[in-house]
């Protein structure tokens, strides 16, 4: 408990992500830690849900669509919880209609808005900081104006790397699929207090039509093999994708 009190004495908002989440961004800044510090005001988290389970005797890995969660934080500690994903059915259900739990220090449910950060084509080597900039310039359900500073909470179990702003060439604009205007969350494993009504997003959409199932399967296969590759192979693949995207931008 000592590290938590220390953090709250020196920060306005602290956030804990579960081990089943892959942290990507907080308020537009790249993050790798599950323990975070931010200023009071709107908070915008970007992360993936990850899980593994056995199917027909084989170990399966699940990575969700990239999620955006926005809420208002004020002098409190907030904890994100993701429901247990232990089967293909629960994985598909979460991807189709993701639900999380967001609570404060007193265990009270905190209202939040959620959306998906989508991108056409291969999902490897994404520039999430550029994608969220494009998203926030639109009218997505979870869009906010970002100006908060972000830190990594100094806990004994968190990663030691501090968050830093991402730089580099702009990537294609992210496509927004609105999930809900606002959620009232319930503790992990419990039924949500109320079903949120779906609200279409006015964020410009770069997709045309619904992706074919065979193309979705191709993307899942690419993601699977990328997860199995070592770091050297991953870097080589990212460079190759970067060359292809550069050639497309140059009109070749």
């Amino acid at each position: 408990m000592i590290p938590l009190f220390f953090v709250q004495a020196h920060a306005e908002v602290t956030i804990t992500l579960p081990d089943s989440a892959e942290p990507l961004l907080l308020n537009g800044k790249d993050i790798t830690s599950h323990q975070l510090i931010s200023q009071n005001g709107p908070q915008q988290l970007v992360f993936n849900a990850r899980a593994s389970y056995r199917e027909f005797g084989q170990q399966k890995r699940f990575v969700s669509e990239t999620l955006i969660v926005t809420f208002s934080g004020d002098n409190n500690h907030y904890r994100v919880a993701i429901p247990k994903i232990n089967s293909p059915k629960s994985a598909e259900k979460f991807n189709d209609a993701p639900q999380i739990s967001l609570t404060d220090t007193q265990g009270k449910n905190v209202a939040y808005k959620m959306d998906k950060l989508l991108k056409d084509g291969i999902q490897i080597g994404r520039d999430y900081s550029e994608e969220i900039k494009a998203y926030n310039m639109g009218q997505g359900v979870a869009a906010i104006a970002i100006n908060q500073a972000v830190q990594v909470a100094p806990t004994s179990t968190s990663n030691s790397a501090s968050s830093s702003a991402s730089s580099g060439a702009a990537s294609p604009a992210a496509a927004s699929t609105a999930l809900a205007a606002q959620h009232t969350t319930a503790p992990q494993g419990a039924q949500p207090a109320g079903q949120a009504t779906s609200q279409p997003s006015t964020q410009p959409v770069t997709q045309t039509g619904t992706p074919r199932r065979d193309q979705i399967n191709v993307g899942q296969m690419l993601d699977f093999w990328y997860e199995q590759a070592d770091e050297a192979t991953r870097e080589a693949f990212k460079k190759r994708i970067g060359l292809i995207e550069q050639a497309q931008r140059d009109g070749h």
Side-chain angles (χ1 to χ4, degrees), residues 57 135 183 223:
Y135 177 89
H183 294 263
D223 289 341

Side-chain angles (χ1 to χ4, degrees), residues 60-101:
K60 300 290 184 179
R61 293 186 180 182
F62 167 74
V63 181
S64 74
E65 297 281 9
T66 302
L67 302 177
I68 310 169
V69 173
T70 302
F71 65 97
S72 180
D74 183 22
N75 294 322
N76 213 320
H77 178 78
Y78 300 91
R79 185 176 298 275
V80 176
I82 297 173
K84 190 172 184 179
I85 300 171
N86 55 10
S87 68
K89 184 176 181 180
S90 60
E92 182 178 3
K93 179 180 179 181
F94 183 87
N95 240 0
D96 289 343
Q99 293 280 344
I100 66 164
S101 167

Side-chain angles (χ1 to χ4, degrees), residues 11 48 93 102 120 128 197 206 233 245:
N48 292 326
K93 179 180 179 181
L102 181 64
D120 287 332
Y128 293 104
T197 55
T206 59
T233 304
E245 291 181 346

Side-chain angles (χ1 to χ4, degrees), residues 20-237:
S20 56
E22 179 189 12
L24 299 172
L25 300 173
L26 173 60
N27 300 331
K29 302 295 190 298
D30 293 328
I31 55 173
T32 57
S33 174
H34 290 72
Q35 306 290 335
L36 305 162
I37 303 173
S38 182
Q39 297 177 0
N40 284 340
Q43 310 295 322
Q44 187 181 59
L45 277 167
V46 179
F47 60 91
N48 292 326
R50 289 179 173 262
S52 61
Y53 53 85
R54 296 192 70 80
E55 182 185 19
F56 302 118
Q58 293 185 337
Q59 194 73 16
K60 300 290 184 179
R61 293 186 180 182
F62 167 74
V63 181
S64 74
E65 297 281 9
T66 302
L67 302 177
I68 310 169
V69 173
T70 302
F71 65 97
S72 180
D74 183 22
N75 294 322
N76 213 320
H77 178 78
Y78 300 91
R79 185 176 298 275
V80 176
I82 297 173
K84 190 172 184 179
I85 300 171
N86 55 10
S87 68
K89 184 176 181 180
S90 60
E92 182 178 3
K93 179 180 179 181
F94 183 87
N95 240 0
D96 289 343
Q99 293 280 344
I100 66 164
S101 167
L102 181 64
T103 54
D104 61 15
T105 306
Q106 291 75 38
K108 294 180 180 179
N109 295 323
V110 177
Y112 65 88
K113 297 178 181 179
M114 179 181 282
D115 208 348
K116 291 179 182 178
L117 187 63
L118 301 179
K119 177 189 175 185
D120 287 332
I122 297 173
Q123 304 299 299
I124 298 170
R126 294 174 63 173
D127 189 340
Y128 293 104
S129 60
E130 289 298 327
E131 290 183 36
I132 202 65
K133 286 179 185 177
Y135 177 89
N136 284 326
M137 290 174 64
Q139 299 295 320
V141 169
I144 64 170
I146 294 174
N147 56 14
Q148 296 96 328
V150 176
Q151 304 176 47
V152 175
T155 63
S156 58
T157 57
S158 64
N159 293 332
S160 59
S162 297
S163 304
S164 60
S166 176
S167 61
S171 64
S176 165
T177 301
L179 296 180
Q182 186 166 342
H183 294 263
T184 300
T185 62
Q188 184 175 5
Q191 188 68 20
Q195 183 65 37
T197 55
S198 201
Q199 175 181 334
S201 168
T202 55
Q203 169 78 3
V205 176
T206 59
Q207 297 186 132
T208 55
T210 303
R212 297 203 323 265
R213 175 59 60 180
D214 59 343
Q215 292 304 301
I216 294 176
N217 290 337
V218 169
Q220 291 173 343
M221 290 173 64
L222 286 170
D223 289 341
F224 172 78
W225 287 115
Y226 181 79
E227 289 291 335
Q228 306 304 312
D230 57 27
E231 287 301 322
T233 304
R234 290 184 181 184
E235 289 302 316
F237 188 79

